[in-house]
Amino acid sequence: MKSVAPRPVPPADHKLRLSGLEPMNIDDASLFVNVGERTNVTGSKAFARLVLNGQYDEALVVARQQVENGAQMIDVNMDEAMLDSRAAMVRFLTLIASEPDISRVPIMIDSSNGR
């Protein structure tokens, strides 16, 4: 092996790499990222009403519509005083994971609850 030089280290490719079922790369050439914010109980009264009433299938429709309308990432927030936010987040994220039309984009978990 003395006669074989080590392989050259390739240059670093500095990009933010995110993934749902499909990869997403964000770098200096990216103009903007379209984040779907309608799956946020503090920012959407309609979504909050669906979640508070346990209508998770209808709440999934909200997420699906965002992706169909061009969202490159989905923001999910379940911080609401009248809601078990941890249980709601787990339930909704589990449902999203089973929906390839939605889970193909990255999910941004937006929560003030650090547990």
Side-chain angles (χ1 to χ4, degrees):
M1 298 304 307
K2 288 182 183 180
S3 64
V4 177
R7 77 170 176 87
V9 177
D13 184 17
H14 297 284
K15 293 180 181 178
L16 173 61
R17 297 180 188 274
L18 305 171
S19 182
L21 293 175
E22 298 174 2
M24 178 180 184
N25 297 312
I26 303 171
D27 61 13
D28 292 338
S30 303
L31 297 176
F32 66 94
V33 176
N34 188 358
V35 178
E37 300 258 359
R38 297 284 179 210
T39 50
N40 183 327
V41 294
T42 59
S44 170
K45 289 181 183 180
F47 182 74
R49 187 172 39 256
L50 293 171
V51 172
L52 287 167
N53 290 331
Q55 297 173 292
Y56 285 90
D57 289 337
E58 290 86 348
L60 278 175
V61 171
V62 173
R64 185 177 299 108
Q65 286 174 340
Q66 290 185 108
V67 175
E68 289 171 353
N69 291 330
Q72 297 166 285
M73 182 182 309
I74 299 294
D75 172 68
V76 179
N77 181 315
M78 297 291 179
D79 291 344
E80 211 280 337
M82 301 297 293
L83 182 64
D84 179 351
S85 60
R86 186 175 188 170
M89 180 71 80
V90 169
R91 183 172 179 189
F92 191 65
L93 293 176
T94 301
L95 292 169
I96 283 178
S98 68
E99 293 286 334
D101 292 341
I102 304 168
S103 62
R104 67 182 182 83
V105 301
I107 306 299
M108 179 188 319
I109 297 173
D110 178 2
S111 178
S112 60
N113 184 348
R115 292 184 287 145

